[in-house]
Amino acid sequence: QVQLVESGGGLVQAGGSLRLSCAVSVAVGFRFYTLGWYRQALGKQRELVATITPGDRTNYADSVKGRFTISRDNGRNTVYLQMNSLKPEDTGVYYCNFGSDWGQGTQVTVSS
């Protein structure tokens, strides 16, 4: 069974930065999958934040364009989310997605 382990969340002031990591325990095939980051704020539905294809094509939610950057390291089976200029509305639990599998989530809290 594939396991995804996220890390890097925490509490940060508005305007600050965080870098999330997601390590995927898959023997082969990591490089052939589109990877994604999603988030869920309290009382709201889970929403797409960013995706990256096997060819490194990226897609972002309008709310994070220009502030967040998704990247991948196929040698380490890891996907990253660099988050800059954070806003209080970025607060939520951030989840990594690999195919039909999800991580446990990591909490990001941005104080005003």
Side-chain angles (χ1 to χ4, degrees):
Q1 184 175 353
V2 177
Q3 290 188 327
L4 292 76
V5 179
E6 298 115 331
S7 61
L11 173 64
V12 64
Q13 289 188 331
S17 298
L18 285 173
R19 188 192 194 207
L20 305 183
S21 299
C22 174
V24 182
S25 65
V26 59
V28 295
F30 179 87
R31 65 180 64 247
F32 301 119
Y33 278 77
T34 291
L35 304 164
W37 285 99
Y38 292 72
R39 68 186 179 190
Q40 187 167 16
L42 195 62
K44 296 188 177 180
Q45 289 188 331
R46 190 173 299 187
E47 64 175 1
L48 171 71
V49 175
T51 59
I52 185 167
T53 70
D56 289 337
R57 179 173 295 181
T58 57
N59 179 59
Y60 297 93
D62 288 343
S63 60
V64 307
K65 282 181 181 177
R67 300 188 298 122
F68 290 12
T69 302
I70 188 171
S71 61
R72 64 193 296 162
D73 184 338
N74 292 332
R76 296 177 183 269
N77 283 10
T78 301
V79 59
Y80 304 97
L81 186 68
Q82 178 66 43
M83 306 186 293
N84 299 328
S85 302
L86 282 161
K87 304 175 181 179
E89 50 264 44
D90 295 318
T91 294
V93 180
Y94 283 68
Y95 297 92
C96 176
N97 171 254
F98 174 83
S100 60
D101 295 292
W102 295 85
Q104 81 286 352
T106 185
Q107 177 69 45
V108 171
T109 303
V110 184
S111 63
S112 57

